[in-house]
């Protein structure tokens, strides 16, 4: 901003501060001309006495009243300071020799509207709660030094309010991420060395781009979560966490979470409407809101495509429509791979450690507020812990890791014998670790990922016609409380030209639909039906097989249970219909139907062969056929094309 603009603002508003009500009782310091000590606020209760273990830096927090003559205003403003429409931002240098801030750069934030002034007053009031741990406040928040007031104009409302706060570099986190060379620039700003990266459980610097970005995101996310947890532990919610309000200080190498002008108290100050239950509910909702904002920040840091407003709108619309965030990978995969045929770096980071990044993102963005993860639990999550830190993952995280690994293996579409065995092993482990089967999770559209049964393709055969199977879906719906579900299998296919089909995959598209109704009831699968020595020996061998190696921490049981929960499915009559974009005669239609039946798992062509469901959660489902083969499904959500 030009210097002329700053001068005009100073002339037009010779009294640039107006506080509507007294914020504190101030006592003049005997050795300073404008030094004041903040003791209590008239609009908020005084903080409780600091505990003995509150750490260094405890004590009252000074709020200084400045004059405009104390500053030398710069002739430009950094782009990352993010001023609102009702704010004017100035960079300035303190030139008062008697001030402790002499020679340092500060930000003058002139607040013009009543709402902006309210934010400024609130930033000063928050100091009364955070004064007990000043070092934490200075490390994780933009430090507010004071305000500018002409004489005794504290009570006036018709003058602007100028807040004086710390300056922490030229960019917000959003502007850092928008730089073309953001990774080396942020690494240099944070001065990453082996000592720094040990804070996140790492012991090296450099390496591939994926490792470098993951290391940097761990540092930023852990710092952000520590700062947010600092606010929550003092009964405050930030309520305005976003990339524009987050700054990285090149001085102390910490993430700053803004000036806290919109920070809200957990407890309602109105005694008439304040109860223990209502305050607890208010606290949970505010913490959940902050954690959702942290989830959005993490998503934008990892997935750079979300920095685009239209892509982020699709991402946010997916969540606001009630879709489970555990299905985000299935939803975002086409978007992330659209411009990255060689592999998306953000996708690779979230897929590491058996999909731990997707798990943390789902916990931060959970649809139900009570299901969202807290700051302390997020700091213990495997995604934010480096390889040198030993962690004990919970059963739910191990179950998530098994499912994510099975999904990634199924996506490779290279089914050698060793891969088939490993996929079948993972599916069986998921069934063993399945806690409870909830039939309400069956509703929805599921995409078939893998079948442990026979696989027949086109490579070694010369069928006529050549049929390419695309996506296979299973839709489960119910219109009443009666346990009768409607099942529909949609098998997409393409009739390719016979002459050049290995190179030309274009052709006529069609869909084969199989519909039926089924009664679904809870049941159990019994592993040992005979009480004999052979049966017990087989059970012992099976237990050692499933509960060995890295998965032994998944459960404390020494052997498999005698039975596992399942969902019993009893089918009614099956109806089959086929539609195609081109006209087929009866003979051609029969050949097409026969080829589809050859390549498709029999359970998807004949739904009556599905016997039970052995695993289901918000993301994955496993159904078993009459021949014992397992069908692994992933929930498919509608995509926003606009």
């Amino acid at each position: 901003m030009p210097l002329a603009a700053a001068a005009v603002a100073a002339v037009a508003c010779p009294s640039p501060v107006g506080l509507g009500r007294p914020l504190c009782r101030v006592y003049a310091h005997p050795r300073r001309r404008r030094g004041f000590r903040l003791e209590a606020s008239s609009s908020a209760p005084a903080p409780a006495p600091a505990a003995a273990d509150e750490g260094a830096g405890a004590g009252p927090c000074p709020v200084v009243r400045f004059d405009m003559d104390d500053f030398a205003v710069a002739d430009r403003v950094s782009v990352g300071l993010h001023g609102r429409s009702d704010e004017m931002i100035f960079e300035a240098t303190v030139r008062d020799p008697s001030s402790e801030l002499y020679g340092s750069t500060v930000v003058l934030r002139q607040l013009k509207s009543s709402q902006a002034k309210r934010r400024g007053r609130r930033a000063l009031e928050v100091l009364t709660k955070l004064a007990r741990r000043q070092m934490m406040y200075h490390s994780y928040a933009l430090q507010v030094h004071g305000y500018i007031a002409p004489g005794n104009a504290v009570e006036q409302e018709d003058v602007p309010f100028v807040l004086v706060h710390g300056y922490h570099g030229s960019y917000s986190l959003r502007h850092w991420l928008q730089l073309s060379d953001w990774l080396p620039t942020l690494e240099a700003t944070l001065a990453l060395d082996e000592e720094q990266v040990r804070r996140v459980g790492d012991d090296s610097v450099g390496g591939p781009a994926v490792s470098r970005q993951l290391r940097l995101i761990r540092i930023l996310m852990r710092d952000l979560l520590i700062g947010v947890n600092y606010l929550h532990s003092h009964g405050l919610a930030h309520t305005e966490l976003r990339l524009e309000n987050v700054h990285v200080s090149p001085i102390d190498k910490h993430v700053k979470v803004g000036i806290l002008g919109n920070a809200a108290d957990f407890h309602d100050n109105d005694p008439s409407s304040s109860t223990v239950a209502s305050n607890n509910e208010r606290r949970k909702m505010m913490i959940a809101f902050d954690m959702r904002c942290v989830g959005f920040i993490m998503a934008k840091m990892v997935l750079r495509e979300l920095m685009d407003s239209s892509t982020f709108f699709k991402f946010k619309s997916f969540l606001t429509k009630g879709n489970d965030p555990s299905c985000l990978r299935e939803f975002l995969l086409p978007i992330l791979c659209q411009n990255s045929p060689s592999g998306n770096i953000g996708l690779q980071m979230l897929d590491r450690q058996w999909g731990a990044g997707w798990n943390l993102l789902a916990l931060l963005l959970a649809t139900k507020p009570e299901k969202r993860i807290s700051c302390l639990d997020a700091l213990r999550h495997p995604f934010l812990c480096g390889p040198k830190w030993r962690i004990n993952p919970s059963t739910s995280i191990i179950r998530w890791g098994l499912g994510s690994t099975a999904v990634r293996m199924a996506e490779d579409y290279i089914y050698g014998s060793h891969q088939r065995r490993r996929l079948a092993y993972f599916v069986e482990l998921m069934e063993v670790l399945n806690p409870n089967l909830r039939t309400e999770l069956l509703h929805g559209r599921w995409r078939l990922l893998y079948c442990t049964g026979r696989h027949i393709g086109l490579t070694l055969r010369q069928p006529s016609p050549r049929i390419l199977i695309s996506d296979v879906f299973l839709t489960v719906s119910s219109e009443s409380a009666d346990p009768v579900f409607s099942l529909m299998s949609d098998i997409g296919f393409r009739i390719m030209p016979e002459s050049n089909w290995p190179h030309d995959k274009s052709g006529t598209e069609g869909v084969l639909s199989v519909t039926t109704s089924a009664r679904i009831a809870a049941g159990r699968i019994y592993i040992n039906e005979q009480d004999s020595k052979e049966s017990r020996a087989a059970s012992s061998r099976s237990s050692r097989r499933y509960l060995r190696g890295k998965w032994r921490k998944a459960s404390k049981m020494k052997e498999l249970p005698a039975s596992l929960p399942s969902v019993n499915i009893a089918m009614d009559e099956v109806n089959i219909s086929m539609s195609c974009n081109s006209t087929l005669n009866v003979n051609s239609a029969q050949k097409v139907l026969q080829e589809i039946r050859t390549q498709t798992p029999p359970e998807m062509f004949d739904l009556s062969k599905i016997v039970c469901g052995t695993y289901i959660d918000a993301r994955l489902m496993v159904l078993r056929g009459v021949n014992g083969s397992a069908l692994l499904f992933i929930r498919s959500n509608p995509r926003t094309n606009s």
Side-chain angles (χ1 to χ4, degrees):
M1 182 173 293
L3 181 61
V8 170
V11 172
C13 303
S15 302
V17 166
L19 293 177
R21 55 187 183 280
L23 288 171
C24 55
R25 295 196 301 270
V26 293
Y27 297 90
H29 197 281
R31 295 184 181 178
R32 292 197 188 102
R33 181 166 53 90
R34 285 178 298 274
F36 299 94
R37 176 170 297 176
L38 181 64
E39 182 178 280
S41 172
S42 62
S43 59
D53 59 348
E54 287 289 344
C61 189
V63 175
V64 181
R65 188 175 65 190
F66 296 94
D67 288 336
M68 204 64 186
D69 297 336
D70 295 338
F71 305 99
V73 181
D75 60 351
R76 63 184 60 87
V77 176
S78 299
V79 67
L81 292 180
H82 181 63
R84 298 171 181 257
S85 59
D86 56 356
E87 298 178 355
M88 293 183 66
I89 309 297
F90 305 93
E91 290 182 30
T93 303
V94 180
R95 62 183 182 183
D96 181 9
S98 63
S99 173
E100 295 179 353
L101 301 174
Y102 177 68
S104 60
T105 302
V106 296
V107 177
L108 307 182
R109 189 175 294 264
Q110 181 173 311
L111 312 174
K112 297 182 290 183
S113 68
S114 59
Q115 185 176 4
K117 295 175 187 177
R118 198 158 46 242
R119 291 195 302 267
R121 298 188 190 102
R122 181 58 179 165
L124 295 177
E125 291 175 2
V126 165
L127 293 180
T128 63
K129 287 192 172 238
L130 304 182
R132 293 179 296 165
R133 300 184 68 181
Q134 290 186 44
M135 291 187 65
M136 288 287 291
Y137 170 72
H138 295 166
S139 297
Y140 296 103
L142 286 176
Q143 183 181 0
V144 177
H145 299 301
Y147 55 91
I148 299 176
N152 296 322
V154 177
E155 300 286 346
Q156 299 178 16
E157 283 283 354
D158 56 345
V159 293
F161 176 54
V162 179
L163 198 66
V164 182
H165 62 82
Y167 173 80
H168 298 284
S170 302
Y171 295 111
S172 67
L173 189 53
R174 166 178 282 279
H175 293 92
W176 281 114
L177 297 177
Q178 288 176 336
L179 295 175
S180 58
D181 58 344
W182 70 274
L183 181 58
T185 306
L186 261 181
E187 287 178 335
T189 302
L190 295 173
L192 290 188
D193 53 17
E194 294 186 0
E195 185 65 29
Q196 289 281 344
V197 299
R198 286 195 186 101
R199 299 185 334 190
V200 293
D202 214 331
D203 62 348
S204 62
V205 294
V210 178
S211 300
R212 291 170 61 195
Q213 290 192 28
L214 180 57
R215 187 183 300 121
L216 185 61
I217 286 172
R218 280 173 175 161
I219 291 174
L220 296 176
M221 280 295 299
R222 292 188 68 85
D223 236 23
L224 177 62
L225 286 167
I226 291 173
V228 176
N229 183 68
Y230 164 64
L231 296 179
H232 291 174
S233 64
H234 284 74
L236 295 169
H238 192 288
T239 73
E240 209 177 17
L241 285 167
R242 55 178 182 267
L243 289 176
E244 294 83 357
N245 290 337
V246 177
H247 293 74
V248 180
S249 174
I251 299 176
D252 59 6
K253 312 298 187 297
H254 280 302
V255 170
K256 311 294 182 180
V257 294
I259 61 175
L260 309 178
N262 277 332
D265 291 298
F266 287 161
H267 304 297
D268 192 351
N269 292 326
D270 185 4
S272 61
S273 61
S274 178
T275 62
V276 175
S278 63
N279 283 334
N280 288 337
E281 186 66 23
R282 176 185 171 93
R283 174 181 178 275
K284 292 178 182 178
M285 293 297 294
M286 287 186 171
I287 290 178
F289 181 82
D290 273 358
M291 299 313 294
R292 182 179 174 89
C293 295
V294 172
F296 286 142
I297 292 177
M298 173 184 163
K300 288 184 176 181
M301 283 197 296
V302 179
L303 304 172
R304 303 295 303 283
E305 291 79 3
L306 297 181
M307 297 292 288
D308 179 70
S309 58
S310 60
T311 305
F312 183 72
F313 177 77
K314 297 178 184 178
F315 171 80
K316 200 168 183 180
S317 297
F318 173 84
L319 298 172
T320 54
K321 290 178 180 177
N323 295 308
D324 198 294
S326 61
C327 305
L328 272 172
R329 188 181 187 275
E330 175 76 0
F331 172 75
L332 290 173
L333 197 59
I335 301 175
L336 300 179
C337 298
Q338 185 176 5
N339 299 321
S340 304
S342 60
N344 182 277
I345 292 182
L347 180 64
Q348 295 178 46
M349 283 190 287
L350 295 175
D351 280 343
R352 284 194 173 189
Q353 293 179 289
W354 308 290
W358 294 108
N359 180 260
L360 178 58
L361 201 58
L363 292 174
L364 288 169
L365 300 174
T367 305
K368 296 182 178 179
E370 63 272 13
K371 298 293 184 181
R372 290 176 199 154
I373 193 171
S374 65
C375 289
L376 293 179
D377 290 337
L379 288 168
R380 302 186 188 102
H381 195 276
F383 181 71
L384 298 181
C385 297
K388 295 301 179 181
W389 283 352
R390 288 190 175 184
I391 55 175
N392 294 319
S394 62
T395 304
S396 61
I397 292 181
I398 291 181
R399 192 185 303 120
W400 179 282
L402 285 170
S404 298
T405 306
V407 169
R408 292 187 62 191
M409 290 181 64
E411 288 174 349
D412 289 340
Y413 206 73
I414 304 174
Y415 300 140
S417 58
H418 66 288
Q419 288 174 309
R420 291 172 183 253
R421 289 194 299 268
R422 194 179 182 193
L423 265 170
Y425 172 61
F426 280 0
V427 170
E428 292 168 356
L429 266 178
M430 291 167 60
E431 294 172 332
V432 170
L433 298 178
N434 189 29
N436 290 301
L437 286 170
R438 297 163 52 193
T439 56
E440 62 269 16
L441 293 176
L442 285 170
H443 293 83
R445 197 169 190 234
W446 302 85
R447 182 170 64 90
L448 179 65
L449 281 177
Y450 182 76
C451 176
T452 59
R454 184 176 59 172
H455 289 258
I456 300 176
L458 293 171
T459 306
L460 302 178
R461 300 187 303 119
Q462 297 295 325
S464 179
R466 270 68 166 179
I467 302 297
L468 180 65
I469 303 297
S470 54
D471 287 330
V472 180
F473 295 98
L474 178 66
T475 304
V476 182
S477 59
S478 177
E479 297 181 356
S480 63
D482 191 70
V484 177
F485 290 79
S486 174
L487 276 68
M488 182 172 64
S489 171
D490 294 323
I491 304 171
F493 63 89
R494 182 178 301 160
I495 306 174
M496 298 181 295
E498 297 187 9
S499 58
N500 197 28
W501 69 267
H503 306 286
D504 185 8
K505 295 297 189 291
S506 63
T508 304
E509 296 185 352
V511 177
L512 176 68
S513 299
V514 182
T515 59
T516 184
S517 58
R519 288 187 171 271
I520 298 178
R524 300 193 73 83
I525 295 179
Y526 292 90
I527 301 176
N528 302 323
E529 296 185 357
Q530 297 178 355
D531 188 12
S532 61
K533 293 182 179 180
E534 293 80 4
S535 176
R536 288 194 296 270
S539 175
S540 178
R541 288 194 299 271
S542 181
S543 299
R544 289 195 299 270
R545 177 191 176 197
Y546 290 124
L547 303 177
R548 69 172 185 261
K550 70 176 109 178
W551 311 112
R552 66 183 182 275
K553 296 180 181 179
S555 178
K556 296 181 180 179
M557 58 185 177
K558 297 181 179 180
E559 62 179 21
L560 294 177
S563 63
L564 297 174
S566 68
V567 173
N568 296 334
I569 303 175
M571 299 288 182
D572 292 338
E573 295 182 357
V574 176
N575 298 319
I576 301 176
S577 62
M578 184 175 67
S579 62
C580 188
N581 292 340
S582 63
T583 304
L584 300 175
N585 56 40
V586 176
N587 186 32
S588 299
Q590 289 177 347
K591 290 182 179 180
V592 169
L593 186 62
Q594 181 60 38
E595 181 61 22
I596 294 173
R597 186 168 187 175
T598 302
Q599 296 189 44
T600 306
E603 293 82 5
M604 297 304 297
F605 186 82
D606 186 359
L607 294 176
S608 63
K609 293 186 177 181
I610 297 177
V611 177
C612 63
T614 54
Y615 181 90
I616 186 171
D617 58 20
R619 182 177 55 141
L620 298 174
M621 177 174 66
V622 177
L623 300 181
R624 286 281 179 176
V626 68
N627 60 357
S629 61
L631 285 78
L632 176 63
F633 294 86
I634 186 169
R635 190 180 294 276
S636 176
N637 297 282
R639 297 188 177 94
T640 305
N641 298 322
S642 58

